[in-house]
Amino acid sequence: MAGSLLGTVIAFDLTTRRERWRSGGIADGSVNFSIASDGRAVYVPTIAGRIRVLDIQSGSPQAVIGDGSDSFFWPPAVKDDRLYAGTADGFFFQPMIHYATNCLVLRSSCG
């Protein structure tokens, strides 16, 4: 994976050295530092104070975390069903994907 100053994220096939997919830049701007993954999704922190969640196989957008009020300065970390990310205001964690139902949990329950 590689992220750009324009917000584009590109996944490469290491065997063929070819691009697998590209997720276009959006209003969130530059990708901040490292991109994290849990094997199912890619978590992309942006300078606009959001973390974009992309499908690891296709790059399709799955969710956006954060309201833009603070920047994610450090790489996020994924453990079990939690995403841990540091902001300028302190520590932040967010429930993520409930794998049994493949439901993305963002401050609400899956129905």
Side-chain angles (χ1 to χ4, degrees):
M1 300 288 160
S4 77
L5 292 175
L6 299 176
T8 301
V9 178
I10 304 170
F12 295 95
D13 183 312
L14 295 179
T15 304
T16 64
R17 297 182 182 176
R18 294 181 188 243
E19 185 178 309
R20 288 185 55 206
W21 54 258
R22 176 183 297 246
S23 179
I26 57 174
D28 288 338
S30 177
V31 173
N32 270 353
F33 302 106
S34 296
I35 298 169
S37 174
D38 62 4
R40 295 175 185 243
V42 179
Y43 305 95
V44 183
T46 68
I47 198 149
R50 293 179 180 82
I51 294 178
R52 294 174 20 209
V53 182
L54 307 175
D55 179 81
I56 198 166
Q57 295 299 320
S58 67
S60 64
Q62 302 297 303
V64 176
I65 299 168
D67 61 8
S69 64
D70 202 1
S71 290
F72 293 97
F73 289 119
W74 297 276
V78 182
K79 175 69 173 147
D80 299 325
D81 66 341
R82 301 276 187 217
L83 175 72
Y84 298 89
T87 67
D89 285 342
F91 196 69
F92 172 88
F93 75 93
Q94 175 71 44
M96 290 311 296
I97 297 172
H98 184 270
Y99 293 120
T101 61
N102 201 29
C103 180
L104 187 60
V105 181
L106 298 173
R107 295 190 177 100
S108 63
S109 62
C110 294

